Amino acid sequence: MQTNEYTVVELTNLAQQKIDLGEKLLSDLAPRETIEGVRKIRKKISQELKFLNRVKANGTVTINHILCSNLTHFGCLVECLLASADVKHVDYPLPIEDRACPLRVDIVCDGGATWIKVIARNPKSLSDAVYGRTSYGSKSILEQAEEYVQAANNFPYMFRPPTVVFRFLSRLDEELIEELQRIGIRVVILADGPTSLTDDPQHQQQQQHPGASVPDRQEEIRLLNVDVTTLIAYCSAMTNGSALWEFKQPLLSEQARWERDKPVKPILDQLFTGRRLICCQTAYDSFHDILTILGGEGEKARARELFT
């Protein structure tokens, strides 16, 4: 007996491969449940597994169940998550004005400096998406790229738009890569050729296309805007060698204990090195008033040195 040129045994085996992939994804995600959004992704993967296990048990697996499974996308997403540094969010919704639903960023990493969109479509589907041959109301890949770049400009990280990365599972033609780069997208390609039904995206080697690029490190931020709290922390006597005292006020004693456990000044020194510091006039005036009323001679001297 055959179904769309695949025997029942072959379809069952393909379903089992997808199930094995899903189980591995759940295992890979388990230690990362503290990352915002991971628990929701695990729930979606579990739903996919529940469906595949049911049709497999009933002997009703069809080729569409394999082709339309979202586990391929989730496999690419999890692989990207495992390879990313300082991940803050997964499947992060961005509220966009005049948009019916939020714009979703698959992975926010590098502390917030990089947005990654994972695209696991096959080459034909990508071509259709480029030229708008999709369902009514759907946006092409290029339109999506423009939307993400605009959103990055509207949601800066450390005063700079996040880098937007489109991470493709399948190969792209040169023209599309160049067009995406022109818009402002960095392109990462995981495979040079189309993937078969049995390909496991967890084990594919990432290959950077000659025309594509991937951010190896966050660009250096040269300008740093400091607030009143940072100025006080930098100039305070407590953060400059006076944290060994026991104070009458419990709050000050607790702050001193925190300072002994993890000194703030070395962290700020490292953060300030090589950067130009700025602050708004309101912050400067507030800090100056506090310093004038409460500051000791050493604190005032450090403030003068900082602003010189």
Side-chain angles (χ1 to χ4, degrees), residues 118-135:
V118 174
I119 302 169
R121 299 179 184 179
N122 59 46
K124 182 182 183 305
S125 177
L126 281 174
S127 178
D128 290 343
V130 169
Y131 297 107
R133 296 191 295 265
T134 55
S135 58

Side-chain angles (χ1 to χ4, degrees), residues 61-240:
V61 181
T62 69
I63 193 61
N64 283 337
H65 293 153
I66 309 301
L67 293 174
C68 298
S69 172
N70 288 321
L71 289 175
T72 300
H73 169 78
F74 289 133
C76 191
L77 176 68
V78 172
E79 181 183 31
C80 182
L81 171 62
L82 298 180
S84 300
D86 196 9
V87 177
K88 295 299 183 183
H89 306 279
V90 177
D91 192 26
Y92 185 62
L94 288 171
I96 304 296
E97 188 176 358
D98 298 328
R99 200 177 194 275
C101 56
L103 183 69
R104 308 198 79 88
V105 179
D106 288 323
I107 295 175
V108 178
C109 59
D110 296 331
T114 303
W115 294 356
I116 302 177
K117 177 176 174 60
V118 174
I119 302 169
R121 299 179 184 179
N122 59 46
K124 182 182 183 305
S125 177
L126 281 174
S127 178
D128 290 343
V130 169
Y131 297 107
R133 296 191 295 265
T134 55
S135 58
Y136 177 76
S138 298
K139 295 186 177 182
S140 73
I141 288 291
L142 298 179
E143 289 173 324
Q144 291 180 46
E146 291 173 346
E147 192 171 31
Y148 275 89
V149 170
Q150 181 60 51
N153 289 324
N154 293 337
F155 293 90
Y157 171 78
M158 297 292 285
F159 315 106
R160 299 172 67 95
T163 298
V164 180
V165 179
F166 276 17
R167 189 177 172 104
F168 293 91
L169 180 60
S170 301
R171 71 180 187 274
L172 301 179
D173 59 47
E174 294 284 349
E175 185 178 352
L176 176 55
I177 292 173
E178 292 174 1
E179 191 65 22
L180 287 170
Q181 290 177 329
R182 184 192 65 77
I183 293 171
I185 300 294
R186 291 193 177 183
V187 179
V188 174
I189 301 173
L190 298 183
D192 276 342
T195 56
S196 69
L197 290 175
T198 57
D199 279 342
D200 181 350
Q202 291 293 99
H203 298 99
Q204 292 176 2
Q205 295 295 320
Q206 176 175 327
Q207 299 184 19
Q208 185 171 328
H209 194 281
S213 62
V214 58
D216 292 328
R217 60 181 178 84
Q218 183 179 342
E219 292 184 19
E220 189 69 24
I221 298 171
R222 297 295 182 186
L223 197 64
L224 197 61
N225 189 5
V226 294
D227 60 6
V228 177
T229 304
T230 304
L231 293 171
I232 293 174
Y234 192 82
C235 298
S236 170
M238 186 176 293
T239 59
N240 286 272

Side-chain angles (χ1 to χ4, degrees), residues 250-264:
L251 178 60
L252 291 179
S253 294
E254 186 176 26
Q255 289 178 337
R257 178 174 57 81
W258 290 343
E259 175 64 20
R260 291 193 296 270
D261 292 341
K262 190 173 183 180
V264 171

